[in-house]
mmCIF file of all heavy atoms in Angstrom:
data_model
loop_
_atom_site.group_PDB
_atom_site.id
_atom_site.type_symbol
_atom_site.label_atom_id
_atom_site.label_comp_id
_atom_site.label_asym_id
_atom_site.label_seq_id
_atom_site.Cartn_x
_atom_site.Cartn_y
_atom_site.Cartn_z
ATOM 1 N N ASN A 277 -27.099 108.008 82.605
ATOM 2 C CA ASN A 277 -26.119 107.343 83.382
ATOM 3 C C ASN A 277 -26.780 106.578 84.539
ATOM 4 O O ASN A 277 -26.302 105.476 84.958
ATOM 5 C CB ASN A 277 -25.062 108.324 83.927
ATOM 6 C CG ASN A 277 -24.026 108.667 82.910
ATOM 7 O OD1 ASN A 277 -23.782 107.890 81.957
ATOM 8 N ND2 ASN A 277 -23.444 109.864 83.035
ATOM 9 N N THR A 278 -27.792 107.179 85.146
ATOM 10 C CA THR A 278 -28.463 106.501 86.266
ATOM 11 C C THR A 278 -29.199 105.227 85.775
ATOM 12 O O THR A 278 -29.094 104.146 86.416
ATOM 13 C CB THR A 278 -29.525 107.493 86.893
ATOM 14 O OG1 THR A 278 -28.859 108.622 87.328
ATOM 15 C CG2 THR A 278 -30.226 106.809 88.082
ATOM 16 N N LYS A 279 -29.836 105.320 84.649
ATOM 17 C CA LYS A 279 -30.565 104.181 84.092
ATOM 18 C C LYS A 279 -29.549 103.110 83.725
ATOM 19 O O LYS A 279 -29.827 101.886 83.960
ATOM 20 C CB LYS A 279 -31.394 104.607 82.902
ATOM 21 C CG LYS A 279 -32.237 103.488 82.324
ATOM 22 C CD LYS A 279 -33.117 104.018 81.172
ATOM 23 C CE LYS A 279 -33.975 102.944 80.553
ATOM 24 N NZ LYS A 279 -34.802 103.429 79.474
ATOM 25 N N PHE A 280 -28.476 103.470 83.064
ATOM 26 C CA PHE A 280 -27.481 102.515 82.613
ATOM 27 C C PHE A 280 -26.846 101.803 83.825
ATOM 28 O O PHE A 280 -26.527 100.588 83.773
ATOM 29 C CB PHE A 280 -26.371 103.268 81.816
ATOM 30 C CG PHE A 280 -25.283 102.393 81.326
ATOM 31 C CD1 PHE A 280 -25.473 101.613 80.229
ATOM 32 C CD2 PHE A 280 -24.020 102.362 81.957
ATOM 33 C CE1 PHE A 280 -24.399 100.788 79.720
ATOM 34 C CE2 PHE A 280 -22.966 101.554 81.465
ATOM 35 C CZ PHE A 280 -23.200 100.822 80.367
ATOM 36 N N SER A 281 -26.720 102.473 84.945
ATOM 37 C CA SER A 281 -26.047 101.968 86.125
ATOM 38 C C SER A 281 -26.989 101.198 87.099
ATOM 39 O O SER A 281 -26.501 100.525 87.994
ATOM 40 C CB SER A 281 -25.394 103.093 86.940
ATOM 41 O OG SER A 281 -24.533 103.865 86.131
ATOM 42 N N LEU A 282 -28.309 101.346 86.866
ATOM 43 C CA LEU A 282 -29.283 101.028 87.868
ATOM 44 C C LEU A 282 -29.107 99.652 88.469
ATOM 45 O O LEU A 282 -29.119 99.451 89.722
ATOM 46 C CB LEU A 282 -30.699 101.184 87.303
ATOM 47 C CG LEU A 282 -31.813 101.048 88.344
ATOM 48 C CD1 LEU A 282 -31.631 102.053 89.469
ATOM 49 C CD2 LEU A 282 -33.167 101.211 87.653
ATOM 50 N N ALA A 283 -28.973 98.635 87.639
ATOM 51 C CA ALA A 283 -28.850 97.216 88.143
ATOM 52 C C ALA A 283 -27.669 96.989 89.049
ATOM 53 O O ALA A 283 -27.590 96.064 89.822
ATOM 54 C CB ALA A 283 -28.830 96.260 86.961
ATOM 55 N N TYR A 284 -26.620 97.926 88.938
ATOM 56 C CA TYR A 284 -25.383 97.695 89.619
ATOM 57 C C TYR A 284 -25.202 98.710 90.805
ATOM 58 O O TYR A 284 -24.199 98.618 91.523
ATOM 59 C CB TYR A 284 -24.215 97.871 88.593
ATOM 60 C CG TYR A 284 -24.371 96.962 87.440
ATOM 61 C CD1 TYR A 284 -25.013 97.409 86.264
ATOM 62 C CD2 TYR A 284 -23.933 95.669 87.478
ATOM 63 C CE1 TYR A 284 -25.191 96.570 85.187
ATOM 64 C CE2 TYR A 284 -24.094 94.793 86.401
ATOM 65 C CZ TYR A 284 -24.739 95.285 85.210
ATOM 66 O OH TYR A 284 -24.884 94.423 84.194
ATOM 67 N N ILE A 285 -26.178 99.604 90.944
ATOM 68 C CA ILE A 285 -26.149 100.483 92.104
ATOM 69 C C ILE A 285 -27.337 100.291 93.041
ATOM 70 O O ILE A 285 -27.299 100.721 94.213
ATOM 71 C CB ILE A 285 -26.131 101.987 91.696
ATOM 72 C CG1 ILE A 285 -27.377 102.338 90.946
ATOM 73 C CG2 ILE A 285 -24.918 102.258 90.806
ATOM 74 C CD1 ILE A 285 -27.580 103.855 90.706
ATOM 75 N N LYS A 286 -28.331 99.585 92.622
ATOM 76 C CA LYS A 286 -29.517 99.375 93.366
ATOM 77 C C LYS A 286 -29.243 98.572 94.658
ATOM 78 O O LYS A 286 -28.705 97.501 94.637
ATOM 79 C CB LYS A 286 -30.615 98.629 92.571
ATOM 80 C CG LYS A 286 -32.001 98.704 93.193
ATOM 81 C CD LYS A 286 -33.024 98.146 92.266
ATOM 82 C CE LYS A 286 -34.469 98.319 92.892
ATOM 83 N NZ LYS A 286 -35.482 97.805 91.930
ATOM 84 N N ASN A 287 -29.555 99.226 95.819
ATOM 85 C CA ASN A 287 -29.345 98.637 97.131
ATOM 86 C C ASN A 287 -27.855 98.356 97.406
ATOM 87 O O ASN A 287 -27.519 97.458 98.167
ATOM 88 C CB ASN A 287 -30.183 97.348 97.323
ATOM 89 C CG ASN A 287 -31.675 97.581 97.181
ATOM 90 O OD1 ASN A 287 -32.196 98.591 97.657
ATOM 91 N ND2 ASN A 287 -32.343 96.639 96.480
ATOM 92 N N LYS A 288 -26.998 99.122 96.740
ATOM 93 C CA LYS A 288 -25.548 98.975 96.880
ATOM 94 C C LYS A 288 -24.939 100.131 97.658
ATOM 95 O O LYS A 288 -25.496 101.241 97.684
ATOM 96 C CB LYS A 288 -24.866 98.845 95.550
ATOM 97 C CG LYS A 288 -25.398 97.703 94.655
ATOM 98 C CD LYS A 288 -25.005 96.344 95.124
ATOM 99 C CE LYS A 288 -25.394 95.284 94.096
ATOM 100 N NZ LYS A 288 -25.082 93.932 94.601
ATOM 101 N N VAL A 290 -22.243 102.769 97.245
ATOM 102 C CA VAL A 290 -21.703 103.332 96.017
ATOM 103 C C VAL A 290 -20.803 104.504 96.310
ATOM 104 O O VAL A 290 -21.071 105.323 97.114
ATOM 105 C CB VAL A 290 -22.858 103.748 95.034
ATOM 106 C CG1 VAL A 290 -22.222 104.368 93.758
ATOM 107 C CG2 VAL A 290 -23.706 102.599 94.699
ATOM 108 N N TYR A 307 -32.084 104.925 94.778
ATOM 109 C CA TYR A 307 -31.977 103.495 94.575
ATOM 110 C C TYR A 307 -30.871 102.854 95.407
ATOM 111 O O TYR A 307 -30.939 101.680 95.704
ATOM 112 C CB TYR A 307 -31.673 103.235 93.079
ATOM 113 C CG TYR A 307 -32.734 103.863 92.152
ATOM 114 C CD1 TYR A 307 -32.375 105.017 91.450
ATOM 115 C CD2 TYR A 307 -33.962 103.353 92.033
ATOM 116 C CE1 TYR A 307 -33.323 105.631 90.613
ATOM 117 C CE2 TYR A 307 -34.945 103.919 91.185
ATOM 118 C CZ TYR A 307 -34.564 105.063 90.449
ATOM 119 O OH TYR A 307 -35.495 105.665 89.629
ATOM 120 N N ASP A 349 -19.454 98.522 97.094
ATOM 121 C CA ASP A 349 -20.017 97.495 96.157
ATOM 122 C C ASP A 349 -19.813 97.942 94.715
ATOM 123 O O ASP A 349 -19.574 97.112 93.826
ATOM 124 C CB ASP A 349 -21.490 97.242 96.410
ATOM 125 C CG ASP A 349 -21.786 96.806 97.825
ATOM 126 O OD1 ASP A 349 -21.243 95.764 98.179
ATOM 127 O OD2 ASP A 349 -22.580 97.490 98.514
ATOM 128 N N THR A 350 -19.940 99.248 94.488
ATOM 129 C CA THR A 350 -19.885 99.792 93.119
ATOM 130 C C THR A 350 -19.162 101.169 93.195
ATOM 131 O O THR A 350 -19.406 101.919 94.087
ATOM 132 C CB THR A 350 -21.284 100.003 92.556
ATOM 133 O OG1 THR A 350 -21.971 98.744 92.564
ATOM 134 C CG2 THR A 350 -21.222 100.580 91.162
ATOM 135 N N TYR A 381 -18.476 96.356 91.166
ATOM 136 C CA TYR A 381 -18.564 96.860 89.838
ATOM 137 C C TYR A 381 -17.964 98.224 89.700
ATOM 138 O O TYR A 381 -18.149 99.085 90.599
ATOM 139 C CB TYR A 381 -20.063 96.828 89.375
ATOM 140 C CG TYR A 381 -20.641 95.474 89.322
ATOM 141 C CD1 TYR A 381 -21.350 94.921 90.325
ATOM 142 C CD2 TYR A 381 -20.387 94.679 88.146
ATOM 143 C CE1 TYR A 381 -21.906 93.612 90.205
ATOM 144 C CE2 TYR A 381 -20.899 93.425 88.021
ATOM 145 C CZ TYR A 381 -21.645 92.880 89.117
ATOM 146 O OH TYR A 381 -22.105 91.597 88.913
ATOM 147 N N ILE A 383 -18.173 101.457 86.961
ATOM 148 C CA ILE A 383 -18.931 101.961 85.875
ATOM 149 C C ILE A 383 -18.273 103.262 85.412
ATOM 150 O O ILE A 383 -18.009 104.209 86.167
ATOM 151 C CB ILE A 383 -20.365 102.295 86.321
ATOM 152 C CG1 ILE A 383 -21.010 100.969 86.854
ATOM 153 C CG2 ILE A 383 -21.175 102.828 85.163
ATOM 154 C CD1 ILE A 383 -22.416 101.206 87.489
ATOM 155 N N ILE A 425 -18.051 93.615 81.246
ATOM 156 C CA ILE A 425 -19.254 92.850 81.033
ATOM 157 C C ILE A 425 -20.374 93.576 80.246
ATOM 158 O O ILE A 425 -21.298 92.944 79.779
ATOM 159 C CB ILE A 425 -19.885 92.403 82.431
ATOM 160 C CG1 ILE A 425 -20.244 93.643 83.285
ATOM 161 C CG2 ILE A 425 -18.922 91.467 83.179
ATOM 162 C CD1 ILE A 425 -20.987 93.256 84.560
ATOM 163 N N LYS A 426 -20.186 94.875 80.071
ATOM 164 C CA LYS A 426 -21.126 95.607 79.281
ATOM 165 C C LYS A 426 -20.512 96.864 78.672
ATOM 166 O O LYS A 426 -19.782 97.613 79.390
ATOM 167 C CB LYS A 426 -22.356 96.003 80.114
ATOM 168 C CG LYS A 426 -23.462 96.641 79.340
ATOM 169 C CD LYS A 426 -24.730 96.832 80.235
ATOM 170 C CE LYS A 426 -25.892 97.419 79.463
ATOM 171 N NZ LYS A 426 -27.032 97.614 80.369
ATOM 172 N N ILE A 479 -19.297 98.876 81.939
ATOM 173 C CA ILE A 479 -19.451 98.252 83.259
ATOM 174 C C ILE A 479 -18.489 97.115 83.368
ATOM 175 O O ILE A 479 -18.467 96.239 82.430
ATOM 176 C CB ILE A 479 -20.886 97.811 83.502
ATOM 177 C CG1 ILE A 479 -21.864 99.050 83.518
ATOM 178 C CG2 ILE A 479 -20.991 97.052 84.845
ATOM 179 C CD1 ILE A 479 -23.306 98.655 83.604
#
Side-chain angles (χ1 to χ4, degrees):
N277 280 335
T278 303
K279 184 177 180 180
F280 181 77
S281 307
L282 188 57
Y284 306 92
I285 65 172
K286 194 171 184 179
N287 300 321
K288 304 288 187 183
V290 178
Y307 307 103
D349 302 301
T350 302
Y381 294 98
I383 303 173
I425 60 174
K426 187 175 182 180
I479 296 173

